[in-house]
Amino acid sequence: MSDIPLSPIQRVLRRLPGRRTKGRVAGPPLIPLVILVAFVLAAVFAEWVSPGEPYRQALRAGFRPPVWLDAGTWSNLLGTDRLGRDLLTRIIYGARVSLTAGVITVLVATAVGVAVGLVAAYFRGRVDAVLMQLTDATLSIPIILLALILAVTVGPSFGNVVLAIAAILWARYARVIRGEALSLMERDFIALARVAGCSPARIIAVHLFPNILNTVVVLFTLQVGDVIIVEAALSFLGAGIPPPTPAWGSMVADGREFITTAWWVSFFPGLAILMVVLSFNLLGDWLRDRLDPKLRQI
Amino acid sequence: MRRFLLQRAIRAVLTLAILSVVIFALARATGDPLTLILPPEASAEDRANVSQELGLDRPWVVQYGRFIGHVLVGDFGISLYHRQPVNELIRDRLPNSMRLAGFAMAVAILLAFPLGVLAAARKDTLFDRGDQVIAILGQSVPTFWLGVVLIETVASRLQWFPPGDIGGLDHYILPGFTLGWFVVAGMMRLLRSGMIEVLDAEYVKLARIKGVIERRVIWQHALKNALIPVVTFMGMYFAILVANAIVVETVFAWPGMGRLAYEAITTRDFPVIQAVVLVAALIVTVANLAIDALYVVIDPRIRHAG
């Protein structure tokens, strides 16, 4: 449609279900699903599927290029890093770190955020004002900065990364869930539950919560990818999961100094991040279109 | 309208107050600051002296009061590593960061607007599909990795742009693009979904029936209302930009606040980290306040309420 306005008939035609169902609202995106399943399986069975051991160094085999380049060998498909550790093996073990960090963090943040959002929407008034003020304040702290403070004061660790990200991420859920729950509170079934003498806890748990589950699922999928990127960025900065644990972010950092001579050391771990995050985002987009189209803007 | 802005301003101040308590509590609860300041072999007597000198033996409330008092006049203490006042360091580095962030934001807006609006106007065409790919990639590519890859390819192999450090305009291209990339993606998606919704609204139909040319319908009538969600999320984008700046400045050796923060982690320089976090939060809060004011300008529904 260029400069000519659509005729009424064209507009009606555009609304016919046949044209809408093709494209994004069809079945689940297959390639992202396959990629995610592959990474999850690799992470779970890392001991069996990886060709080598993640910590074994072979200093004389350092900076070996991937197999398809000159001087590459079949024993190190994606090459080796400075210390001669097999990159493919470390990427597989890194999947374990990234995926667990992502999922645990988002689980914690979801639990807190949903609770805060529902309580704020249910009680309104002063409780709502205080909780939302807290939410606003939390949202104004960049996650990376809080993680930096924790890294400097107590030292970097897996637990601190999860804590730092979850301590801020919950606020994003709280906002959205509160909005959702506020409109639910206007509905008749909540009033009826009240008349029937349900306690606030029961109304929140039995009547509100199940009705926001779709939103929770969509947010969860969309945020795991985000969290994986933040964790990787922290590890890259040296404020995340400390070496020698194979984390994708610190692996990219390891290769940064040698990027011109041994590009593969930085390239492949980053590619792994990209593939996993992209898959989560595509899957999340699909879920959102399916379950909760109102969330378009997140 | 004035009440709306006043309310927001009070909220902003409260936000900063809460944050200052959090930082203070974290600094104190996560370890004795003396272990950061003094070498491990310091005697008990030294410890007591320094503790008294810094007021660390006083009650927490008093310590917090002193901390806030210093912060309010812009005194963030002395860097443990650089051995010079933290606010001097910030005064040197902050303008560099602002310049880079401003450049990145300009790049983002210049790219996102045409791409997002045209994607909505040409919904379901090849152009739209291509846009969606750009958008989803933008939100999935890790910033630090993009920076490293650009340095290897564009800067070092092709030698089109310098790989880092501050300088002329050509020095801004790579870090600015890396930093703005994520924002382009998000803004584009927002504009697209906003425009699709608005283009379906009654008043747009009316404009079309009146015979307003399509280009004007899209760029004037529709865009004005599709802008509101973009402005809402602008604060979030700005916060992301500030956070990503740490990574980008580190990768591109940019002498800004982000790099200062990175150096401070590696040297465990607590006063610097504390100051960087406070300044970053202040910037984000002020930006949010400015956005609220902007709301009033573009959305008459807020201007005339309350």
Side-chain angles (χ1 to χ4, degrees), chain B residues 194-205:
Chain B
M195 282 294 287
I196 287 174
E197 203 170 294
V198 172
L199 282 174
D200 227 28
E202 294 293 326
Y203 79 96
V204 171
K205 283 178 199 160

Side-chain angles (χ1 to χ4, degrees), chain A:
Chain A
M1 44 181 262
S2 49
D3 280 348
I4 308 153
L6 288 171
S7 74
I9 296 163
Q10 276 175 312
R11 307 181 128 265
V12 172
L13 276 179
R14 282 215 316 168
R15 286 170 175 252
L16 285 181
R19 294 195 61 176
R20 280 226 167 159
T21 45
K22 88 174 182 190
R24 295 213 306 168
V25 203
L30 208 59
I31 298 170
L33 260 182
V34 171
I35 292 178
L36 281 184
V37 170
F39 269 100
V40 169
L41 288 179
V44 173
F45 301 108
E47 280 85 357
W48 289 279
V49 295
S50 58
E53 281 172 40
Y55 300 110
R56 177 174 294 162
Q57 303 181 1
L59 290 176
R60 295 177 62 192
F63 291 137
R64 199 170 266 175
V67 63
W68 58 88
L69 293 179
D70 296 344
T73 59
W74 281 100
S75 53
N76 304 110
L77 283 178
L78 298 181
T80 59
D81 66 5
R82 185 170 53 96
L83 301 171
R85 295 175 296 194
D86 181 49
L87 268 184
L88 180 60
T89 304
R90 285 180 68 78
I91 288 175
I92 290 173
Y93 276 86
R96 196 177 264 184
V97 175
S98 277
L99 290 173
T100 2
V103 170
I104 293 181
T105 310
V106 180
L107 273 180
V108 174
T110 314
V112 179
V114 167
V116 169
L118 290 181
V119 167
Y122 182 88
F123 290 102
R124 305 255 187 109
R126 205 165 285 172
V127 177
D128 187 24
V130 170
L131 286 177
M132 282 306 115
Q133 175 64 56
L134 205 64
T135 307
D136 276 359
T138 311
L139 279 176
S140 74
I141 310 172
I143 292 179
I144 290 193
L145 292 183
L146 182 68
L148 296 189
I149 298 187
L150 278 177
V152 170
T153 48
V154 275
S157 72
F158 183 89
N160 285 342
V161 170
V162 169
L163 191 73
I165 303 177
I168 298 199
L169 199 64
W170 67 266
R172 289 194 199 161
Y173 294 93
R175 268 269 184 82
V176 179
I177 297 297
R178 171 183 172 269
E180 198 101 315
L182 273 181
S183 63
L184 281 175
M185 289 296 293
E186 302 292 321
R187 304 269 291 273
D188 287 342
F189 69 91
I190 299 291
L192 287 174
R194 273 201 180 133
V195 174
C198 291
S199 67
R202 192 180 158 82
I203 293 182
I204 289 175
V206 181
H207 298 282
L208 283 179
F209 181 65
N211 283 302
I212 52 138
L213 258 182
N214 278 357
T215 311
V216 173
V217 170
V218 173
L219 280 177
F220 185 92
T221 322
L222 285 174
Q223 295 288 339
V224 171
D226 246 22
V227 170
I228 289 178
I229 285 198
V230 172
E231 178 271 309
L234 287 172
S235 296
F236 176 81
L237 290 172
I241 291 148
T245 307
W248 290 340
S250 50
M251 291 168 74
V252 175
D254 274 349
R256 194 160 71 90
E257 286 170 60
F258 317 104
I259 187 74
T260 44
T261 49
W263 54 269
W264 54 89
V265 182
S266 281
F267 183 78
F268 290 119
L271 194 65
I273 303 175
L274 173 60
M275 282 166 72
V276 168
V277 175
L278 190 60
S279 302
F280 269 115
N281 283 344
L282 286 170
L283 202 64
D285 272 1
W286 175 77
L287 274 174
R288 181 191 52 197
D289 289 349
R290 258 292 133 106
L291 300 175
D292 202 347
K294 279 173 302 182
L295 285 174
R296 270 287 138 74
Q297 293 173 354
I298 288 162

Side-chain angles (χ1 to χ4, degrees), chain B residues 108-120 127 131 188 191 219:
Chain B
I109 291 173
L110 283 178
L111 283 176
F113 271 73
L115 288 177
V117 170
L118 289 181
F127 181 85
D131 254 29
M188 213 164 82
L191 272 170
W219 289 100

Side-chain angles (χ1 to χ4, degrees), chain B residues 28 32-34 37-38 43-59 62-63 66 70:
Chain B
R28 293 296 183 273
D32 189 349
L34 286 180
I37 299 166
L38 291 172
S43 69
E45 200 181 328
D46 287 341
R47 289 176 168 276
N49 280 340
V50 175
S51 168
Q52 200 177 16
E53 197 179 304
L54 296 176
L56 294 176
D57 52 346
R58 313 281 294 277
V62 179
Q63 285 190 39
R66 275 179 62 146
H70 286 299

Side-chain angles (χ1 to χ4, degrees), chain B residues 186-263:
Chain B
M187 221 184 251
M188 213 164 82
R189 292 182 105 187
L190 271 185
L191 272 170
R192 179 180 177 274
S193 60
M195 282 294 287
I196 287 174
E197 203 170 294
V198 172
L199 282 174
D200 227 28
E202 294 293 326
Y203 79 96
V204 171
K205 283 178 199 160
L206 179 69
R208 280 185 175 138
I209 292 168
K210 277 197 313 189
V212 178
I213 54 167
E214 185 69 10
R215 201 179 310 142
R216 232 177 125 175
V217 171
I218 291 172
W219 289 100
Q220 280 189 11
H221 297 241
L223 182 59
K224 225 185 248 175
N225 273 301
L227 265 183
I228 293 171
V230 178
V231 172
T232 312
F233 277 75
M234 204 70 123
M236 208 182 89
Y237 291 141
F238 199 76
I240 292 172
L241 211 65
V242 168
N244 276 351
I246 300 175
V247 171
V248 173
E249 289 182 7
T250 304
V251 172
F252 288 97
W254 193 268
M257 291 277 281
R259 209 178 140 70
L260 187 66
Y262 174 70
E263 290 160 1

